[in-house]
Amino acid sequence: MSDSELDPRIALVVAVLAVSTSAILVRASDAPASVAALHRVVATTLVVAPLALGHDPGAFTRLAPRDVVAAAATGVALAVHFATWFESLAWTSVAASVTLVQSQPLFVALGAWALLDERVTRGTTAGILVAVVGIVVMSLGELLGGGGVGPNPLYGNALALVGGVMAAAYVLAGRSLRQRFPLLPYVTIVYAVAGVCLLVFVVGSGHPVLDYPPREWLLFFLMAVGPGLFGHTVLNWALGHLDSSLVSVSLLGEPVGSALLALFLLAEVPGSWTLAGGVVVLAGIGVTARSRNAVS
């Protein structure tokens, strides 16, 4: 499809809607969270690897060993991101989980300041502080028994935050590596390593890898095609045609879309503390994203 055939703003809407289905698909699955994460990553790898080999077969041999090691480490971070986030959905509400895992811009800002010596503006600092207040509001409400959804909302929220930190590590590494690393070989290595890590975890946990009914395989497929290909792949395409500030702030629609889908499809109504804290977290993420893109 040529660039003229698709309005990038429409593509952005499609991508946000697609990623909003991820939490719902994970919640609908009866498979262990690590198994769902494994098959999503494997399916995506099976799509991008042939593209990488077909586009430039010699690209992998031209990569510096240190870059391959760094990409592999990024794959480990991605595996932990998926494993912790998917697991969080078993313990807390969709609204809380998706909001907290989407907090990665906050950790990207902190990591860029600490590791890449990037300047932190007052707007970025303010956004981080606002988001932290929102996280505290969420957690405090659930500690006080404020109607959190899930068997252990505080534990689920903590897992989602770890998922956000690992997503930030993935973004930070990608920002550095992609300056000298072709896209398709890079994502192929990252996804392949993430898949191996998740496979080791699944086998070590005693979960079956393949013994699942057709319904589960359909859900695994939908996770890869919907949030994976139509979500993140289209978002990466949109970044080449739209301002990064618009794309990053538009991603704040994911927690809203996921929460609405959970409300209508799962009859899951977030508690008042989750709603209040989530609004504050989203506001902080939005301020942080806009501030960082304004100086990038």
Side-chain angles (χ1 to χ4, degrees):
M1 179 178 291
S2 68
D3 291 350
S4 62
E5 293 176 346
L6 182 64
D7 186 330
R9 292 167 295 182
I10 295 177
L12 184 58
V13 172
V14 170
V16 172
L17 290 174
V19 297
S20 297
T21 65
S22 183
I24 306 304
L25 293 170
V26 174
R27 180 65 70 80
S29 174
D30 294 325
S34 56
V35 173
L38 166 65
H39 288 298
R40 169 173 168 170
V41 172
V42 168
T44 307
T45 305
L46 292 177
V47 172
V48 299
L51 294 175
L53 292 171
H55 182 262
D56 186 0
F60 290 95
T61 62
R62 296 193 300 269
L63 300 176
R66 66 185 181 91
D67 288 341
V68 175
V69 171
T74 307
V76 175
L78 184 62
V80 177
H81 160 71
F82 277 127
T84 53
W85 178 43
F86 280 28
E87 181 66 18
S88 77
L89 288 160
W91 300 96
T92 191
S93 68
V94 167
S97 174
V98 179
T99 299
L100 292 173
V101 82
Q102 193 58 259
S103 66
Q104 57 92 2
L106 313 176
F107 301 112
V108 168
L110 292 173
W113 167 73
L115 302 175
L116 304 179
D117 199 29
E118 291 188 8
R119 182 169 62 93
V120 178
T121 66
R122 275 188 275 185
T124 301
T125 303
I128 292 172
L129 292 176
V130 169
V132 168
V133 169
I135 293 170
V136 171
V137 168
M138 269 189 185
S139 301
L140 181 62
E142 283 151 5
L143 274 174
L144 298 176
V149 177
N152 193 337
L154 200 59
Y155 175 61
N157 290 356
L159 287 173
L161 272 176
V162 172
V165 172
M166 291 297 103
Y170 170 71
V171 170
L172 285 169
R175 176 181 298 172
S176 175
L177 289 171
R178 280 287 292 119
Q179 295 177 10
R180 55 186 183 275
F181 219 116
L183 174 62
L184 288 175
Y186 169 71
V187 295
T188 298
I189 293 173
V190 169
Y191 289 156
V193 171
V196 170
C197 291
L198 288 167
L199 177 62
V200 170
F201 182 79
V202 168
V203 173
S205 300
H207 300 310
V209 176
L210 300 175
D211 187 19
Y212 294 96
R215 175 182 179 275
E216 293 300 322
W217 286 105
L218 175 61
L219 289 170
F220 299 155
F221 174 77
L222 291 175
M223 289 176 202
V225 173
L229 296 178
F230 281 95
H232 290 284
T233 302
V234 174
L235 279 171
N236 285 325
W237 178 86
L239 277 169
H241 302 271
L242 298 171
D243 289 341
S244 57
S245 58
L246 175 61
V247 175
S248 60
V249 174
S250 295
L251 280 173
L252 298 184
E254 180 184 355
V256 178
S258 295
L260 289 174
L261 287 173
L263 175 63
F264 290 113
L265 299 179
L266 306 176
E268 182 179 291
V269 181
S272 57
W273 287 85
T274 296
L275 287 173
V279 169
V280 177
V281 171
L282 291 177
I285 295 171
V287 171
T288 301
R290 285 188 177 278
S291 299
R292 284 184 52 73
N293 283 304
V295 298
S296 62

